[in-house]
Amino acid sequence: MVERMKTACAAIALIGAVTGAVPAWAEQHVEAGAQEGDALRSAVMEDLPGLVELYKDLHANPELSFEEHETAAKLAERARALGFEVTEGVGQTGVVAVMENGEGPTVMLRADMDGLPVVEQTGLPYASARTAVPASGVETGVMHACGHDTHMAAWVGAAQLLVERRDEWSGTLVMILQPAEEIGEGALAMLEDGLYERFPKPDYVLAFHDAAQAPAGMIGYSKGYALANVDSVDVVIPGIGGHGAYPHTTKDPIIIGTNIVDRLQTLVSRELNPLDPAVVTVGSFQAGSKHNIISDVAKLQITVRSYTDEARAQLLDGIARIARGEALAAGMAEDMLPVVTVQDPYTPSTYNDPDFTEEVMTNLRGRFEGRIFEVPSVMGGEDFGQFRRADPDEIESLIFWVGGVPQERYEAAQRGEVELVSLHSPFWAPDAPVVIATATEALTAATLDLMPRSGG
Ligand SMILES: [Zn+2]
Ligand SMILES: [Zn+2]
């Protein structure tokens, strides 16, 4: 999930909300392989100790966005050892691993690599003690607080299993490690560096994200729009400053700003089609320095969420119109109107092709009986959507959730005894073995289904 929109990840709470009490299959998963005689699950369980070791190493050594040098090198080496043709440095620190294995579709599996500027407080024996200096310039701890370490471990798990099963599939497997998801720029960086020109272009793209409000091992999916367009908008509102005791000699930017904030509420409630979901949240309003001084500037920071391009344009146009209109209403001159800046690039919405999603989930349903749920979409952001958006007529994509909350903790939360933390929390400690086992099996099984050897 994209870091600058911290509230986004909490929205995944919905997944837990729709499932209610869940049987204790989380632990059962670990033993089920041998009992059921399922070859794929048995293979996952055989590989799991090694994958968990890798996870702990990744967890202890997180790196910030576009600084994933060690992480990329470590995993590129693994892919190379498995026989993939590996290219590093795609979109700065991205990795592309390709395996051509006969006629058939091209399937791309994506994991993201970056950690967050968060001081870990899980107390885990393999907790990160790393520090780094992010864009803010202030040194901070670094933590895999979004679970991208589970994504990478399962990515390696799927790579191993698919290589072992090369005689069961036919097609081209493209496995990518994406940098800088948390700042919403890594997917675009890889695409702009020729991901679809220098390497086989995928027919299908798959990924998963761990979920901090769902029990470990649960699989959740949404059809259609799954995650939102995310825009970060800055509004700088000039005023005419002066003495607080002589307001008639000033133009107070705080009043203009509050009127803007008020009227922004009507964008979603009165201008957009109520059936087109959107969010306009003013997350920051800064102005002034002292009791008796009327400031000469106010600043707003706004997060704007939508699904469709049309809604996005309507909201952004509306913000510019309202900012201008309120300043004019306050009597500001044409050359002193608010300056509205929309951050570029933005994170586009993620669309799970409904038929493709249904196809993948139908195939997984037998294997994960009682553990797959269709869940509501969220207004969080993920730059995974870029991979389909680059060619929406030719590429189908799906991102699904894998619950990560340890079963006991989930049940305690159901009883109201504990609060679950969200992604990006310094306390987020997923049940990594269950997440990795579930995701490895799901990604592998889905890929095998998409590129069968027989063509049928
Ligand atoms: Zn994430
Ligand atoms: Zn995140």
Side-chain angles (χ1 to χ4, degrees):
M1 302 293 290
V2 175
E3 183 223 342
R4 62 173 179 260
M5 283 67 69
K6 293 206 168 159
T7 51
C9 294
I12 302 170
L14 283 166
I15 295 177
V18 297
T19 59
V22 171
W25 37 252
E27 288 123 51
Q28 290 166 13
H29 181 90
V30 177
E31 294 133 31
Q35 289 165 12
E36 289 175 13
D38 179 298
L40 180 58
R41 182 160 300 173
S42 299
V44 171
M45 291 311 146
E46 219 164 277
D47 288 353
L48 191 57
L51 295 174
V52 171
E53 275 314 299
L54 169 66
Y55 164 79
K56 288 179 179 173
D57 176 43
L58 293 168
H59 188 84
N61 297 292
E63 295 172 292
L64 291 176
S65 306
F66 283 133
E67 289 172 19
E68 311 90 337
H69 302 284
E70 285 176 32
T71 307
K74 207 177 282 178
L75 298 183
E77 192 46 50
R78 290 218 175 208
R80 222 168 257 130
L82 286 169
F84 285 87
E85 194 172 309
V86 179
T87 307
E88 292 177 69
V90 181
Q92 299 191 36
T93 46
V95 177
V96 181
V98 179
M99 182 167 286
E100 287 178 353
N101 189 34
E103 290 292 304
T106 298
V107 177
M108 187 168 96
L109 302 183
R110 170 268 207 174
D112 39 8
M113 297 190 286
D114 49 339
L116 284 159
V118 170
V119 181
E120 178 157 1
Q121 294 176 55
T122 59
L124 292 167
Y126 49 90
S128 163
R130 285 216 171 189
T131 59
V133 181
S136 67
V138 182
E139 189 179 54
T140 168
V142 186
M143 176 184 174
H144 269 302
C146 204
H148 297 182
D149 43 4
T150 62
H151 305 176
M152 289 185 278
W155 183 93
V156 169
Q160 289 176 176
L161 292 172
L162 287 164
V163 168
E164 283 166 18
R165 284 165 172 66
R166 232 177 314 194
D167 58 346
E168 292 177 29
W169 56 274
S170 185
T172 300
L173 180 60
V174 181
M175 306 231 11
I176 65 163
L177 294 162
Q178 182 209 304
E181 187 280 328
E182 295 291 358
I183 57 170
E185 295 180 17
L188 196 58
M190 291 188 82
L191 288 163
E192 287 179 345
D193 199 9
L195 180 63
Y196 290 169
E197 292 80 36
R198 293 163 57 195
F199 308 96
K201 192 165 109 181
D203 300 294
Y204 308 108
V205 188
L206 288 172
F208 82 100
H209 202 295
D210 69 326
Q213 306 288 322
M218 195 200 97
I219 294 175
Y221 66 95
S222 305
K223 288 191 231 169
Y225 289 107
L227 292 135
N229 290 315
V230 179
D231 282 284
S232 296
V233 180
D234 289 88
V235 183
V236 177
I237 305 159
I240 298 173
H243 199 298
Y246 308 97
H248 55 292
T249 66
T250 71
K251 298 279 184 206
D252 187 346
I254 292 182
I255 301 297
I256 301 171
T258 53
N259 284 330
I260 292 172
V261 173
D262 259 358
R263 191 168 289 274
L264 289 179
Q265 309 312 310
T266 64
L267 283 175
V268 175
S269 69
R270 288 296 176 273
E271 294 195 23
L272 270 191
N273 183 330
L275 299 180
D276 202 347
V279 174
V280 178
T281 294
V282 180
S284 169
F285 185 151
Q286 294 178 357
S289 59
K290 195 170 182 293
H291 307 70
N292 62 353
I293 298 174
I294 288 174
S295 176
D296 60 2
V297 68
K299 293 176 182 171
L300 306 179
Q301 293 184 314
I302 310 170
T303 187
V304 182
R305 311 290 175 117
S306 55
Y307 284 137
T308 61
D309 288 347
E310 297 71 30
R312 174 175 181 259
Q314 200 178 340
L315 292 171
L316 295 178
D317 289 350
I319 290 170
R321 188 194 73 234
I322 288 169
R324 174 185 164 81
E326 290 296 342
L328 287 172
M332 293 300 294
E334 280 281 354
D335 60 349
M336 285 188 72
L337 296 179
V339 177
V340 178
T341 311
V342 180
Q343 232 174 62
D344 184 31
Y346 75 108
T347 301
S349 57
T350 294
Y351 188 80
N352 287 338
D353 290 277
D355 291 345
F356 176 58
T357 302
E358 191 51 47
E359 181 190 335
V360 170
M361 289 301 153
T362 299
N363 286 329
L364 293 183
R365 212 162 266 133
R367 171 171 291 286
F368 294 102
E369 210 184 337
R371 295 165 54 179
I372 295 191
F373 298 87
E374 186 167 356
V375 299
S377 310
V378 294
M379 300 306 283
E382 240 286 359
D383 69 356
F384 178 75
Q386 298 276 18
F387 296 116
R388 176 185 182 277
R389 185 171 273 257
D391 191 353
D393 294 334
E394 299 291 327
I395 298 170
E396 299 189 271
S397 74
L398 164 64
I399 189 167
F400 56 91
W401 307 107
V402 174
V405 183
Q407 186 69 30
E408 272 177 27
R409 191 163 178 82
Y410 185 78
E411 287 170 4
Q414 295 286 105
R415 294 192 298 270
E417 293 164 11
V418 297
E419 288 285 328
L420 297 179
V421 300
S422 63
L423 295 175
H424 292 201
S425 160
F427 297 100
W428 173 229
D431 186 337
V434 175
V435 176
I436 294 165
T438 305
T440 298
E441 185 177 330
L443 290 172
T444 306
T447 305
L448 290 170
D449 282 330
L450 289 171
M451 36 166 66
R453 173 62 94 183
S454 61

